[in-house]
Amino acid sequence: PEGITTIGKEAFTGCTALEELTIPSTLTSLGSSAFKNCSFKATINCENVSFSRVGFTEVIIGDNVTTIGESAFYKCDSLTSVTIPNSVTTIGEDAFYNCDSLTSVTIPDSVTTIGNSAFSGCDGLTSITIPDSVTTIGYDAFYSCGSLTSVTIGDSVTTIGEWAFYNCDSLTSVTIPDSVTTIGEGAFAYCDSLTSVTIPDSVTTIGQEAFAYCDSLTSVYCEATTPPSLGEDVFDYNASGRKIYVPAASVEAYKSAS
């Protein structure tokens, strides 16, 4: 019930028939192995409590929650589906780290920040849409999401963090909006299935190895009239014969830019 602040160590261990649980907004502490060997659906109304390695299969986050805290669902490897309400503004660091069965997550328009490593290692995710409300994608945010084929980035994102989509080796399609000014180091490195990318004219900085080792990448369309500042090895080890297309009036500027 509401009013409970602590679920103690091993409290529900071995309750294998438990199917559904509602966790109150007053909860502040979860003991180790509290739900060991359980697999169930949960409605979670509290904030900033870590449910790492708990056997959730489905999570519904209550609409009074504004922050999904650091490591909230860290390595919940039975989790297949998450419902995030419009009250949530922040998805914290490592929030769904290595939830490798997670196939479905909808990020609502209320979210402004996706933290570092928030969905890193979520091998079951096949597509993700980042809403227009989000301004920052943290480093490693979708690192090594091996089944991710499609990414749509909303129109308010200014920074794609370092290694954000590193080793997403099934990624074939990515939409980078005109709001982005910085593509971080290694952001799309080792995206082996990516064949084409358009870099909008808003981008002024592309970090080291941002598109390196994308060995199917044949076409890069860079729309900026002034060449972006590049780190080292940005386009190393792309497909043989890869071409970079630039505005006709800027060809000489690109040829002379380091």
Side-chain angles (χ1 to χ4, degrees):
E2 289 290 326
I4 292 292
T5 60
T6 301
I7 295 176
K9 179 180 178 181
E10 299 181 350
F12 294 89
T13 290
C15 295
T16 56
L18 181 62
E19 294 180 354
E20 193 163 346
L21 179 71
T22 298
I23 296 172
S25 60
T26 49
L27 188 72
T28 57
S29 177
L30 185 71
S32 62
S33 301
F35 298 99
K36 186 176 180 180
N37 297 329
C38 298
S39 181
F40 58 98
K41 173 183 176 181
T43 300
I44 295 174
N45 295 307
C46 58
E47 292 193 54
N48 296 316
V49 176
S50 175
F51 297 96
S52 65
R53 304 177 190 271
V54 174
F56 297 135
T57 56
E58 180 182 351
V59 167
I60 299 169
I61 297 172
D63 57 13
N64 62 321
V65 175
T66 60
T67 299
I68 299 174
E70 182 177 339
S71 301
F73 301 98
Y74 182 95
K75 290 191 176 181
C76 290
D77 55 11
S78 298
L79 185 60
T80 60
S81 175
V82 175
T83 302
I84 302 173
N86 283 322
S87 57
V88 171
T89 59
T90 301
I91 300 174
E93 184 171 331
D94 293 334
F96 296 95
Y97 180 92
N98 261 31
C99 292
D100 52 15
S101 297
L102 185 62
T103 58
S104 174
V105 60
T106 299
I107 300 173
D109 289 338
S110 55
V111 172
T112 59
T113 301
I114 298 174
N116 301 333
S117 302
F119 294 93
S120 180
C122 290
D123 283 340
L125 285 179
T126 57
S127 67
I128 197 79
T129 297
I130 297 168
D132 292 345
S133 54
V134 172
T135 57
T136 301
I137 301 172
Y139 70 75
D140 290 359
F142 296 91
Y143 182 105
S144 204
C145 290
S147 298
L148 196 61
T149 61
S150 174
V151 173
T152 300
I153 299 171
D155 288 338
S156 296
V157 171
T158 59
T159 301
I160 300 172
E162 297 176 1
W163 320 108
F165 297 94
Y166 178 95
N167 199 33
C168 292
D169 54 10
S170 297
L171 187 62
T172 61
S173 172
V174 59
T175 302
I176 300 172
D178 288 339
S179 55
V180 172
T181 60
T182 301
I183 299 173
E185 180 179 343
F188 296 94
Y190 288 93
C191 289
D192 295 340
S193 300
L194 193 62
T195 60
S196 175
V197 66
T198 298
I199 299 171
D201 59 6
S202 55
V203 172
T204 58
T205 303
I206 303 175
Q208 179 176 328
E209 296 186 351
F211 296 93
Y213 301 95
C214 295
D215 53 16
S216 297
L217 187 61
T218 57
S219 301
V220 177
Y221 298 88
C222 198
E223 296 180 338
T225 54
T226 301
S229 171
L230 300 187
E232 294 181 2
D233 305 328
V234 170
F235 298 105
D236 270 21
Y237 299 102
N238 291 166
S240 176
R242 185 263 299 122
K243 291 181 172 63
I244 297 176
Y245 297 89
V246 303
S250 301
V251 168
E252 293 306 317
Y254 274 85
K255 282 183 177 180
S256 61
S258 60

